[in-house]
Amino acid sequence: MAKLVTTRTAAPAGARQLALNVLLQVQAGAYADVALHRTLSQAKLSESDRAFATELVYGIVRRQRTLDALIDQLGTRPADKQPPVLRLVLHLGLYQLRYLTAVPDSAAVNTSVDLAKANGLGKLSGVVNGLLRQYIRQSDQGADPLRLPDQPAIALGIRHSYPDWLIALWLDQLGPEETDRLCQWFNQVPSIDLRVNRQQTTVEAVKTAFAAADIAIEPIAGVPWGLRLMNHQGALTNLPGYEAGWWSVQDASAQMVGRLLDPQPGETVLDVCAAPGGKATQMAEIVGNEGKVWACDRAPSRLKKITANATRLGLTNLHTHAGDSTDLAQFHGQADRVLVDAPCSGLGTLHRHADARWRQTPDSIETLAKLQSALLSEAARCVKPGGTLVYATCTLHPAENKAVIESFCHTHPTWQVQPPPPGFGNGLEVAPAGWIRVWPHRQNMDGFFMVRLQQA
């Protein structure tokens, strides 16, 4: 099993204890990113230890099915019968042994034993020691301690740590070889992409500033205002140009949604599901001071964050509206272009949201599809005659994408799909019907679905 290369040989108990605390919160129902951010904000750790704790939390949440399978095979009791804290301590030890090259095996074992003792598991510390050393012995003998079943689909799910229903979905869409590649891609540490603010600076100026600070960055093919950070660690707010509003964090595929909507200077744009605001601020940068962007969301607290970000970016043409976006009567017929970046299962961003693979189910996706259809129907009423409507999701599930659009076009026969121009997005995959689907393992960016609609 290939391990991730890290820059550490070990870490103080503080990083591992913090990771355990966060994992216990996730086990109790908290979102991994929320629990980690909250816990780190109260901790006094070095940047390297914060990075190590972050790797442990997200890595273990992603890999929990694989780690549970190892406990099932190496232990005398299955993972789901272990005391919750012991199960997570074993996850911590096994994750370091299996996936992190720069933590010596002895450090992974000894710190896990110490962690068990420090958390009231002194009598069970021998279990930790024995199971982890059994893993090492089997690895040293040249065999992978993880034994996989004969059923290919279940084996994929255990090896890469995904639920069976999701593996089955991808196998149906992609076949076994590409499903394996997609699974591996989603288990990577996510890249960080930036969108340069054309109202404040240029791509070349940002590249020059980053080069002067010895920060590696590269352009993104097909995304003219995008730049990708290379192997960066540390707070993004400390990077050149952040306070001056030179750039925002936005994945390349999300930036492509804005390009597909193609707003023009001076136009009015409505973003009906705007939070956290990346696309709304992108539109505001494009339409300029003569244009106007309305960012809508149900949660006033999320709209405050959009306003704060717009202020940092120097955007005075972005306005917010709090309310239910399935009822936007005051905007009917008012917008040149409308974006529905719909709430979705997030199955195209599983590398960024480590616990999404465990939270979503076929039932939850059915519920989301109904909401998406309602949002799209209402958004269509907000478009001026001759205007443009774009529907987008960061999911790869056809029930949230193709099925929603086919149903909309059936019930709204005056609307038609408008394919993107040739070569859009440096050759992104365009279906014969005209919509775009971004497969992460093919395009090396977040998974997305996007389609442009206009009235006949």
Side-chain angles (χ1 to χ4, degrees):
M1 177 67 212
K3 294 185 179 182
L4 299 176
V5 177
T6 70
T7 57
R8 303 192 57 78
T9 57
R16 291 180 174 88
Q17 182 65 60
L18 184 144
L20 177 60
N21 294 343
V22 174
L23 291 167
L24 285 167
Q25 295 175 54
V26 174
Q27 195 174 71
Y31 286 93
D33 55 347
V34 174
L36 180 63
H37 176 76
R38 178 175 58 236
T39 306
L40 282 175
S41 67
Q42 300 168 355
K44 294 182 179 179
L45 293 177
S46 66
E47 283 297 328
S48 59
D49 289 338
R50 294 168 74 89
F52 184 71
T54 298
E55 167 63 36
L56 291 175
V57 169
Y58 287 148
I60 288 167
V61 172
R62 289 190 192 106
R63 301 282 190 172
Q64 68 180 45
R65 186 177 184 185
T66 309
L67 299 173
D68 277 344
L70 286 167
I71 295 172
D72 291 346
Q73 294 166 17
L74 297 172
T76 57
R77 299 178 66 187
D80 61 359
K81 302 298 183 183
Q82 301 282 0
V85 178
L86 177 62
R87 180 182 183 180
L88 291 176
V89 170
L90 290 171
H91 281 183
L92 282 158
L94 288 167
Y95 184 81
Q96 293 169 82
L97 290 173
R98 188 170 181 84
Y99 299 109
L100 300 183
T101 56
V103 177
D105 289 353
S106 58
V109 174
N110 294 336
T111 55
S112 297
V113 170
D114 291 342
L115 202 58
K117 293 177 180 177
N119 288 272
L121 299 175
K123 293 182 179 180
L124 295 174
S125 60
V127 173
V128 175
N129 183 69
L131 189 146
L132 297 182
R133 292 196 181 280
Q134 186 180 354
Y135 180 94
I136 294 169
R137 282 195 300 272
Q138 293 188 18
S139 297
D140 289 345
Q141 292 169 3
D144 186 350
L146 181 66
R147 300 186 303 275
L148 298 172
D150 293 332
Q151 303 96 318
I154 297 176
L156 271 175
I158 293 174
R159 179 190 298 122
H160 297 302
S161 192
Y162 295 88
D164 289 340
W165 71 268
L166 192 50
I167 294 293
L169 175 72
W170 291 339
L171 285 171
D172 183 59
Q173 294 176 282
L174 297 168
E177 182 178 333
E178 280 204 86
T179 296
D180 187 86
R181 288 171 52 201
L182 180 62
C183 288
Q184 293 184 58
W185 197 95
F186 276 139
N187 281 335
Q188 298 179 112
V189 176
S191 62
I192 299 175
D193 295 344
L194 309 180
R195 184 192 75 242
V196 175
N197 180 1
R198 67 191 73 192
Q199 295 295 327
Q200 298 292 340
T201 187
T202 65
V203 171
E204 288 304 316
V206 173
K207 290 167 65 176
T208 299
F210 276 66
D214 198 27
I215 298 169
I217 200 165
E218 65 178 23
I220 306 171
V223 188
W225 292 90
L227 294 169
R228 178 161 292 174
L229 283 171
M230 308 303 296
N231 303 315
H232 177 73
Q233 292 186 353
L236 295 174
T237 54
N238 294 332
L239 293 176
Y242 174 81
E243 292 295 341
W246 286 4
W247 48 265
S248 297
V249 175
Q250 188 181 37
D251 185 79
S253 54
Q255 294 184 48
M256 297 307 302
V257 174
R259 293 196 66 206
L260 185 64
L261 186 64
D262 194 28
Q264 300 299 308
E267 289 187 335
T268 296
V269 178
L270 180 66
D271 185 348
V272 304
C273 306
K279 298 177 186 68
T281 53
Q282 180 188 19
M283 298 304 99
E285 292 167 10
I286 295 173
V287 301
N289 291 331
E290 300 303 315
K292 181 181 292 186
V293 173
W294 282 97
C296 305
D297 199 86
R298 296 187 64 164
S301 60
R302 302 185 79 191
L303 290 174
K304 288 180 180 179
K305 294 180 180 179
I306 297 177
T307 300
N309 201 30
T311 300
R312 180 181 68 83
L313 296 170
L315 303 173
T316 59
N317 59 348
L318 192 153
H319 310 272
T320 61
H321 168 76
D324 184 351
S325 289
T326 62
D327 181 9
L328 294 168
Q330 65 270 49
F331 293 110
H332 287 177
Q334 299 300 306
D336 298 288
R337 299 177 196 259
V338 177
L339 172 62
V340 184
D341 181 26
C344 69
S345 60
L347 297 180
T349 59
L350 295 179
H351 55 321
R352 300 189 188 280
H353 303 102
D355 45 359
R357 68 187 73 182
W358 311 121
R359 290 184 178 276
Q360 299 297 345
T361 67
D363 287 343
S364 68
I365 286 168
E366 183 179 347
T367 300
L368 283 165
K370 293 177 181 177
L371 172 62
Q372 292 154 357
S373 294
L375 289 166
L376 183 57
S377 294
E378 179 65 4
R381 303 175 69 184
C382 300
V383 184
K384 292 179 180 178
T388 299
L389 173 64
V390 164
Y391 175 82
T393 70
C394 59
T395 183
L396 302 172
H397 201 298
E400 301 178 82
N401 296 332
K402 175 184 174 183
V404 170
I405 295 304
E406 289 178 338
S407 175
F408 174 80
C409 290
H410 177 74
T411 56
H412 299 75
T414 61
W415 286 89
Q416 295 180 353
V417 173
Q418 295 294 315
F424 176 82
N426 197 37
L428 290 181
E429 177 185 332
V430 181
W435 51 69
I436 297 167
R437 183 170 53 190
V438 180
W439 285 107
H441 65 292
R442 295 176 184 173
Q443 280 87 33
N444 197 29
M445 59 180 73
D446 288 2
F448 248 88
F449 175 92
M450 58 192 86
V451 59
R452 182 170 60 187
L453 300 147
Q454 289 183 317
Q455 284 185 301

